[in-house]
Amino acid sequence: SNKISFKSFLRLIVSIIIVLIFFFPIYFWILVSLKKDKDIYSVPPKLFNFELDLNSYENMFGISRFFNNNESINFFGNDIFQIPRFIDTLIISLGSTILVIIISTISAYCLSRMKIRGKEYFLLLLISTRIIPPVAIAIPLYLMYKNLFILDTHIGVILAHTLMNLPLAVLLMKSFFDDIPKDIDEAAVMDGASQFYVFWRLIMPLTIGGISATAVLCFIFSWTEFILALILTQTNIKTITVTSITLGSSWSNIATIGTIAIIPTFIIIFLAQKNLVRGLTLGSSYK
């Protein structure tokens, strides 16, 4: 028992060290947002003993463009109502995530359950579109959006992020569906259930964990994306990542934006942590 206890203790120590290594940059980034400029550039860095300064947060919630209420939602070029930059990013991330989940869930179920000629080649093509860097399609999208009059609109960036996240989401969701025995579908169909009933009532509840995992990943990718958001937006809307570059060279302001920006992702991961872990393990045996 002592041997087992020692192994458990050693595993705990290693786990704590790994967590500290990964979270130290976040901790340091938060410290930068709370320091004065003289403490930011101090050598060696002041990790605990420094003078607290909240001016950066006052600027973010007050006079800066990050939370400036002189901006508006813009769908297809029409101003709807006043909105801050922070909500711009939230609308784009949630909109693209919802759209990706709807499309990828239906597509992945068809790829998993139906016999489609050339399915392997289609999946290979799907993977190849995911490895294309966003900068390679940014200029063509810019020209296309300009002709379609959806440049510098929420719907335009939502569609671009959907295009970027969809291949990965389809592959993930297909692996989740593959792990569910097909005997469930066959038994339900033999009992007279329709294909839609099998999909919606039987299969979907079993893949809630997979859907949560995919949604969290898509939200984070959209929330932190920079290249497409930079090129496809101009003055009406801006995402957090783009705004952080346009606020100047003040490290305290940039660190404050980064600190505020990670809060929604932590909240979503915290709320979906049970389904997230279950979903990541559900799709472990990809076929």
Side-chain angles (χ1 to χ4, degrees):
S1 59
N2 293 334
K3 188 176 181 180
I4 297 175
S5 176
F6 176 76
K7 286 184 178 180
S8 301
F9 177 76
L10 184 61
R11 189 181 298 112
L12 176 62
I13 296 299
V14 173
S15 301
I16 292 175
I17 293 175
I18 293 175
V19 170
L20 290 177
I21 291 174
F22 277 97
F23 273 91
F24 180 77
I26 299 176
Y27 170 73
F28 188 82
W29 193 241
I30 295 174
L31 289 185
V32 172
S33 69
L34 299 173
K35 291 180 180 180
K36 291 182 176 294
D37 289 340
K38 62 177 182 179
D39 293 328
I40 293 176
Y41 298 104
S42 64
V43 179
K46 296 181 178 180
L47 299 180
F48 302 101
N49 186 21
F50 60 89
E51 185 178 354
L52 189 65
D53 182 18
L54 298 178
N55 288 333
S56 300
Y57 287 91
E58 293 177 0
N59 292 334
M60 292 302 103
F61 286 92
I63 62 175
S64 84
R65 286 173 287 177
F66 182 67
F67 276 95
N68 189 350
N69 288 323
N70 293 325
E71 308 298 336
S72 59
I73 289 183
N74 190 287
F75 285 100
F76 296 101
N78 299 317
D79 294 340
I80 307 299
F81 55 87
Q82 300 302 307
I83 190 168
R85 299 298 197 196
F86 184 85
I87 307 300
D88 279 340
T89 314
L90 191 62
I91 290 175
I92 291 171
S93 300
L94 288 177
S96 63
T97 300
I98 293 172
L99 192 58
V100 166
I101 292 300
I102 293 174
I103 298 175
S104 65
T105 301
I106 299 174
S107 303
Y109 179 77
C110 294
L111 289 172
S112 176
R113 290 299 195 262
M114 298 182 181
K115 295 181 179 180
I116 302 175
R117 181 178 298 179
K119 182 192 302 185
E120 295 78 9
Y121 298 103
F122 176 78
L123 292 174
L124 181 61
L125 179 63
L126 200 63
I127 296 174
S128 65
T129 59
R130 184 63 183 88
I131 63 178
I132 297 176
V135 68
I137 62 173
I139 302 303
L141 280 178
Y142 175 87
L143 298 175
M144 186 185 305
Y145 278 23
K146 188 175 182 180
N147 293 329
L148 294 174
F149 302 103
I150 58 174
L151 185 65
D152 200 21
T153 62
H154 287 84
I155 189 65
V157 185
I158 287 174
L159 292 176
H161 286 185
T162 301
L163 178 66
M164 178 186 68
N165 291 327
L166 193 57
L168 177 62
V170 171
L171 293 174
L172 283 175
M173 289 304 302
K174 182 182 180 302
S175 69
F176 300 143
F177 286 126
D178 287 344
D179 278 356
I180 299 175
K182 294 184 180 180
D183 296 341
I184 298 177
D185 306 54
E186 297 172 357
V189 171
M190 291 180 63
D191 289 339
S194 64
Q195 194 69 41
F196 177 78
Y197 181 89
V198 173
F199 168 72
W200 185 252
R201 293 292 186 180
L202 300 180
I203 304 301
M204 284 293 290
L206 298 176
T207 56
I208 293 299
I211 293 174
S212 299
T214 306
V216 169
L217 291 177
C218 291
F219 181 87
I220 293 175
F221 289 159
S222 179
W223 186 269
T224 58
E225 198 278 326
F226 176 75
I227 295 296
L228 295 178
L230 175 65
I231 295 179
L232 300 180
T233 60
Q234 295 176 341
T235 57
N236 289 327
I237 63 172
K238 292 287 184 183
T239 62
I240 291 176
T241 52
V242 176
T243 306
S244 64
I245 302 300
T246 60
L247 282 178
S249 58
S250 173
W251 280 111
S252 59
N253 287 340
I254 296 175
T256 302
I257 292 179
T259 302
I260 297 173
I262 64 177
I263 293 176
T265 57
F266 273 106
I267 293 175
I268 290 178
I269 292 175
F270 176 77
L271 294 176
Q273 58 180 333
K274 292 183 179 179
N275 289 329
L276 181 62
V277 174
R278 178 172 174 264
L280 291 175
T281 55
L282 180 65
S284 58
S285 58
Y286 176 74
K287 298 180 179 64

